[in-house]
Amino acid sequence: MASGSRTQHQRFLRLFTTHEPAIRAFVRRLVPSRTDADDILQEVAIVLWEKFDEFREGGDFKAWACGIARYKVLAWLRDRGRDRLVLDSDVVEIIATQSLEQEPVLQQQREHLEDCLESVPHAERKLLAQAYQPGAVIREVAAASGRSVGGFYQWLHRMRQMLLNCVKRRLAPEGA
């Protein structure tokens, strides 16, 4: 790999890995399942790399990537137009526009959630991660924690409420 190509590749990877969670969240808000979002995100990553020469140095990579993601989602919807569970493309356009407008707030919420999660003891944080892992079976996670399924759901509810309150406190303006 030539030095210029390597530098370009590294620049792309740095930008993509920095903004990948926001791009993934944007796609996830527009399609019904995590699996669909994963498939679309892979296609988005390929297009971003293929068109990376067109991206201006110092430009807004996240906005550019979300624009490409929007078109990929619309193409995905067009291909699945007969599926009853898929939203109409006009509705997706509205959601995409509003989602991009709300992205700064959502990013701030994600950052506060990460900070709040850091305050949770390691063992409990590990249980939360297991419970929200794709394909998790709550019965198994509950058994591993030593709780009944009902008890585990109660614990999970309390943890979610605690994290929600933590994020709300951090978002509240000072003195409110």
Side-chain angles (χ1 to χ4, degrees):
M1 185 179 288
S3 175
S5 178
R6 180 181 309 226
T7 301
Q8 182 81 337
H9 188 249
Q10 289 173 342
R11 184 173 160 246
F12 174 79
L13 284 177
R14 205 171 299 117
L15 286 167
F16 185 75
T17 54
T18 298
H19 297 289
E20 190 270 344
I23 301 164
R24 177 179 297 278
F26 174 75
V27 171
R28 183 64 185 98
R29 288 190 293 269
L30 302 176
V31 297
S33 78
R34 191 173 287 164
T35 303
D36 295 332
D38 289 345
D39 292 344
I40 292 169
L41 190 62
Q42 286 177 4
E43 291 182 31
V44 169
I46 291 169
V47 172
L48 290 173
W49 174 242
E50 289 173 348
K51 294 182 176 276
F52 193 59
D53 289 340
E54 300 171 18
F55 180 69
R56 291 178 289 116
E57 178 80 32
D60 186 344
F61 184 84
K62 185 169 60 175
W64 180 64
C66 285
I68 289 174
R70 176 191 295 206
Y71 287 113
K72 279 295 177 188
V73 167
L74 290 172
W76 181 87
L77 290 169
R78 183 193 61 236
D79 294 346
R80 285 157 184 81
R82 295 182 185 177
D83 189 335
R84 293 181 336 173
L85 299 176
V86 175
L87 296 174
D88 184 77
S89 62
D90 292 341
V91 174
V92 170
E93 280 285 345
I94 292 169
I95 294 171
T97 300
Q98 290 178 350
S99 180
L100 286 175
E101 291 171 358
Q102 295 175 351
E103 180 54 30
V105 173
L106 296 171
Q107 179 64 31
Q108 191 177 29
Q109 289 175 341
R110 280 191 294 271
E111 290 170 5
H112 288 319
L113 179 59
E114 287 177 19
D115 292 342
C116 292
L117 275 168
E118 288 296 319
S119 68
V120 174
H122 177 73
E124 292 182 332
R125 195 169 52 230
K126 186 176 173 185
L127 273 177
L128 282 169
Q130 289 174 345
Y132 286 103
Q133 188 172 28
V137 178
I138 293 298
R139 179 177 17 88
E140 294 172 6
V141 179
S145 75
R147 294 177 173 93
S148 67
V149 171
F152 188 78
Y153 274 116
Q154 288 177 357
W155 174 82
L156 205 51
H157 174 74
R158 285 191 304 272
M159 292 302 292
R160 284 193 301 249
Q161 194 63 47
M162 185 272 301
L163 291 169
L164 175 64
N165 291 337
C166 177
V167 170
K168 282 182 176 178
R169 275 192 311 276
R170 290 171 184 254
L171 287 172
E174 289 187 31

